[in-house]
Amino acid sequence: MSVRYVHTNIIARDWRALASFYIRLFDCKPVPPERDLAGDWLDAATGIAGSHITGIHLRLPGHGDTGPTLEIFSYDAMTDHPDIAANTPGFSHIAFLVDDVDAVSEAVLAAGGAAVGETAKRDVPGVGRLSFRYLRDPEGNILEVQRWD
């Protein structure tokens, strides 16, 4: 059996604004076409009657033209989202390797993101020195920026 990682999906209140955030700050690239999806097949797949979603796939940096994507969609009708902490069960965060954790953190904050914690540094024996920080994107999803020395 062949297995290949394809994408991670984020449901956004405003998919265009959130996609713009990831394009500007993390060099993600749009993968056309924009999606505008509805129909019995989508209702069956999602278990949501009358579902309609719009959005886009963004190619993640560093993986080339066939690498995985970040799929950012909005549903016409959405439920409230609970607050997520770093220790909330389930998917917790996405991570990006960056050249400067503090500079990227400041850019995230300036673009409407929020801090979860402070920059931390740790020596990992046999691997190197890790600097990283947890932040929130403008929709409250947790992301990690990290650097290895």
Side-chain angles (χ1 to χ4, degrees):
M1 172 173 62
S2 175
V3 177
R4 181 173 174 251
Y5 182 76
V6 178
H7 71 258
T8 296
N9 174 269
I10 296 177
I11 300 302
R13 289 174 194 84
D14 180 344
W15 72 263
R16 288 184 189 281
L18 192 60
S20 178
F21 171 86
Y22 282 99
I23 290 166
R24 283 190 337 267
L25 274 72
F26 295 102
D27 200 30
C28 294
K29 303 290 187 210
V31 179
E34 291 182 2
R35 305 326 197 261
D36 187 344
L37 310 170
D40 292 342
W41 63 273
L42 185 60
D43 295 355
T46 63
I48 301 169
S51 58
H52 176 231
I53 54 179
T54 52
I56 196 165
H57 281 252
L58 301 177
R59 183 80 56 218
L60 292 167
H63 292 280
D65 292 340
T66 61
T69 61
L70 184 59
E71 178 184 71
I72 301 179
F73 283 171
S74 294
Y75 282 78
D76 286 354
M78 292 189 276
T79 61
D80 289 332
H81 190 276
D83 288 335
I84 301 296
N87 64 346
T88 301
F91 289 102
S92 175
H93 67 272
I94 58 173
F96 293 92
L97 184 66
V98 300
D99 290 334
D100 186 329
V101 169
D102 292 331
V104 173
S105 295
E106 290 305 315
V108 167
L109 298 173
V116 171
E118 299 297 323
T119 300
K121 297 180 180 187
R122 178 172 190 264
D123 290 318
V124 179
V127 180
R129 182 157 179 83
L130 172 65
S131 300
F132 71 103
R133 186 172 187 188
Y134 287 166
L135 301 134
R136 293 185 188 279
D137 70 21
E139 293 238 359
N141 303 295
I142 298 176
L143 61 96
E144 175 185 347
V145 291
Q146 62 174 243
R147 175 186 169 93
W148 286 92
D149 292 309

